Amino acid sequence: MSGSTPTSVLELHGIEKVYGEPPHEVPVLRGIDIVVRPGEFVAIVGASGSGKSTLLNILGCLDRPTRGSYVLVGEDVARLDDQRLSHVRKTKIGFVFQSFHLVSHLTVEENVELPLFYARVPRKVRRARSAAILQRVGLGHRTTHLPNQLSGGECQRTAVARALVTEPSLLLADEPTGNLDSRTSAEIMRLFRELHQSGRTIVMITHDPGVAAVAGRRITLRDGAVAGDDASAAPQEAACSES
Ligand code: ADP
Ligand code: MG
């Protein structure tokens, strides 16, 4: 990789995913082309069965495409072996899931520090970085709480802090508001919009049009292909204005 800043965070070209072996192949992604540039906030939407999870697994380096190329921050990752794929995943991507995936016996700050612990970052540096990012997501007052002492919104803020603590190039969220009531969901989308405004690149999978409306760009999947991409749409303020 060169030292210059890539003009795209990710580029998918002709991505296909086929499950099963001949003659029982099931084509699930049928030639997806998507380029996401630094600082974009993209929502990927589509009906159940349209291929969102399959695409998310490829974007998140959890799975490989059957055909096509995937360049993530200048590196072609479509054909990497498991070990190298796992390294890319840990260093370039921060994940946020619907069900938070917090470790129940660890405090908020310990949960946030976990990716740094695995990356062998020294304890003092870990603590300083988790404190800073927890402040950023509005949880500076909850650092020593356990997950079961938090609201759903606070759990998701903790998960967002954990996703960002490694300074990933891409924040990848899978139905991040799926387990939250509408008020908390709006609160989390406000946080996402602030992160976007501060320059983060975000790709979010959602089936909720109200949530998708917060993103600056919506890509619609239908039957494993891109059926719409409003790259030029302005983000809508209204979806988050509920108190
Ligand atoms: P979504 O997340 O949009 O609901 P998915 O990516 O989960 O869509 O699934 C897209 C299609 O691929 C569905 O028709 C599903 O049945 C099929 N599919 C998903 N995973 C597999 C698999 N491992 N083997 C065969 N078909 C699969
Ligand atoms: Mg799905």
Side-chain angles (χ1 to χ4, degrees):
M1 265 188 298
S2 77
S4 61
T5 312
T7 54
S8 63
V9 171
L10 66 88
E11 294 194 23
L12 302 178
H13 293 294
I15 290 291
E16 296 179 31
K17 183 70 185 182
V18 178
Y19 287 113
E21 301 295 329
H24 302 292
E25 294 159 296
V26 182
V28 172
L29 298 180
R30 304 159 183 266
I32 304 249
D33 300 300
I34 295 174
V35 175
V36 175
R37 303 195 185 286
E40 277 197 291
F41 182 4
V42 181
I44 296 179
V45 298
S48 179
S50 58
K52 300 185 299 297
S53 297
T54 305
L55 181 59
L56 180 101
N57 288 342
I58 291 171
L59 289 175
C61 296
L62 296 157
D63 197 5
R64 290 178 205 77
T66 309
R67 278 180 283 280
S69 81
Y70 177 17
V71 177
L72 179 60
V73 207
E75 185 174 10
D76 191 342
V77 297
R79 311 275 171 265
L80 295 184
D81 63 27
D82 285 351
Q83 197 181 349
R84 291 183 55 211
L85 208 56
S86 156
H87 180 74
V88 169
R89 193 161 62 229
K90 284 180 200 151
T91 53
K92 294 188 176 173
I93 303 172
F95 287 94
V96 174
F97 302 98
Q98 175 172 348
S99 51
F100 321 133
H101 290 320
L102 299 177
V103 180
S104 61
H105 66 274
L106 297 182
T107 64
V108 164
E109 64 190 355
E110 287 166 347
N111 267 282
V112 172
E113 284 172 35
L114 214 49
L116 300 177
F117 176 82
Y118 289 125
R120 299 168 196 249
V121 174
R123 185 189 164 84
K124 263 189 153 167
V125 179
R126 291 202 310 258
R127 193 56 41 109
R129 280 170 63 179
S130 75
I133 195 72
L134 281 166
Q135 200 72 41
R136 175 70 192 78
V137 302
L139 280 183
H141 59 306
R142 289 278 188 272
T143 55
T144 58
H145 285 60
L146 289 167
N148 67 13
Q149 299 171 310
L150 303 177
S151 68
E154 288 170 333
C155 283
Q156 197 58 303
R157 282 172 188 274
T158 304
V160 170
R162 181 187 53 192
L164 293 177
V165 78
T166 54
E167 295 288 341
S169 308
L170 173 65
L171 182 63
L172 192 55
D174 187 8
E175 298 281 2
T177 61
N179 278 355
L180 303 174
D181 60 47
S182 61
R183 196 175 62 85
T184 311
S185 168
E187 169 199 313
I188 292 298
M189 281 305 100
R190 255 195 308 273
L191 174 61
F192 271 58
R193 207 171 55 200
E194 287 165 17
L195 294 169
H196 166 54
Q197 283 162 353
S198 68
R200 310 274 182 178
T201 308
I202 305 171
V203 174
M204 170 176 77
I205 304 267
T206 181
H207 70 275
D208 182 334
V211 166
V214 179
R217 174 180 174 193
R218 282 168 296 284
I219 296 175
T220 306
L221 289 189
R222 190 177 302 142
D223 294 334
V226 174
D229 184 348
D230 60 348
S232 58
Q236 290 177 14
E237 302 295 316
C240 265
S241 61
E242 156 186 5
S243 67

